[in-house]
Amino acid sequence: MRLIRQSAVVATLAISCLSLILPVSVAHTAEAPAIAAAANIKFALDDIARQFEQQTGLSVRISYGSSGNFVTQIQHGAPFEMMLSADEFYIEQLHKAGYTQDAGVIYAIGRLALAAPKKSELILDPGLVGLGQFITDGKLTRFAIANPDHAPYGERAREILKAKGLWDAVQPKLILGENASQAAQFTISGSTQGGIVPLSLALAPQFIKMANYVVIPDELYQPLTQRMALMPNASETAERFYQYMQSPSAQKILREFGFNLPNATEKLD
């Protein structure tokens, strides 16, 4: 497996189109709370944050990255006031160590897509039959997923490839993104022939212009139960944003970006 840095492989056009892995600020004041968010939720959360600001006059500063890396940063004193994880495991980990106010709530269920640049010869289908044939024909040279060691969407991509009996063959061809959004950049840039990416990113207009995708059936991988929580230092603005994430307005945006929603927002025991 190869972990390739942004500047080494990804086309400049792809980076400028998506701008997925850089910290993004939607704040206008120094007092805006810092929010850590999984990269897969970027486009949906940007829209939610803009709507929150329009409706309340309050702003937040959002940094996007891998959930596992954010856990490490928070444990080392990063001043985030809220975290939105791509897998509830990471919030549970922080909660048990005393880094969150409580166990938090589930805000979305993530989904995955098989994607390829528009010029790729890879045939896309929900069962990954085309990918298997592509491998058998000796045509696959590079395939992108997020790093499964610290990115939940990478973990599930590995799970899917194993379920289809493709992992051993694909593993030597892998290009690993630091997070789900970088894997999406690799997928659309032409530096790979395809990849497994969050559906929420595949649905973004910037992505659709450059790549095709198919939704991977949910039953092929364990649910990506995305949980969020407030930190003990959370300000009133962070608390209001936390509540806004559970509002019908925010949930509507999440649905538009391909997320499933929990039947009821539940707290852990």
Side-chain angles (χ1 to χ4, degrees), residues 185-232:
Q185 288 183 8
F186 291 151
T187 299
I188 70 172
S189 70
S191 61
T192 69
Q193 294 152 299
I196 295 177
V197 303
L199 176 60
S200 57
L201 299 183
L203 287 171
Q206 298 95 319
F207 193 102
I208 293 173
K209 289 179 182 177
M210 303 178 71
N212 299 315
Y213 75 92
V214 293
V215 179
I216 297 175
D218 296 342
E219 58 267 23
L220 288 182
Y221 53 95
Q222 292 296 312
L224 277 155
T225 305
Q226 305 201 186
R227 186 174 288 268
M228 63 181 178
L230 290 166
M231 308 301 139

Side-chain angles (χ1 to χ4, degrees), residues 130-145:
L131 176 60
Q133 188 61 51
F134 206 60
I135 294 169
T136 299
D137 293 342
K139 295 182 178 179
L140 185 70
T141 58
R142 288 183 291 188
F143 191 81
I145 66 170

Side-chain angles (χ1 to χ4, degrees), residues 209-259:
K209 289 179 182 177
M210 303 178 71
N212 299 315
Y213 75 92
V214 293
V215 179
I216 297 175
D218 296 342
E219 58 267 23
L220 288 182
Y221 53 95
Q222 292 296 312
L224 277 155
T225 305
Q226 305 201 186
R227 186 174 288 268
M228 63 181 178
L230 290 166
M231 308 301 139
N233 65 330
S235 63
E236 181 179 349
T237 297
E239 290 179 356
R240 289 187 64 176
F241 187 66
Y242 180 78
Q243 294 301 323
Y244 191 80
M245 281 296 302
Q246 302 171 61
S247 70
S249 296
Q251 292 178 341
K252 180 177 182 293
I253 292 173
L254 290 169
R255 284 195 298 269
E256 290 171 352
F257 279 90
F259 291 99

Side-chain angles (χ1 to χ4, degrees), residues 42-60:
K42 174 184 165 50
F43 292 114
L45 194 58
D46 282 352
D47 283 358
I48 291 170
R50 280 191 289 268
Q51 191 167 273
F52 173 73
E53 182 173 359
Q54 290 170 0
Q55 294 183 13
T56 67
L58 301 172
S59 301
V60 294

Side-chain angles (χ1 to χ4, degrees), residues 40 86 110-112 146 151-157 180 197-199 224 226 259:
N40 75 288
R111 303 171 70 194
L112 284 156
Y153 277 77
E155 294 176 18
R156 299 307 192 278
V197 303
L199 176 60
L224 277 155
Q226 305 201 186
F259 291 99

Side-chain angles (χ1 to χ4, degrees), residues 103-116:
V105 295
I106 298 169
Y107 65 91
I109 310 296
R111 303 171 70 194
L112 284 156
L114 176 66

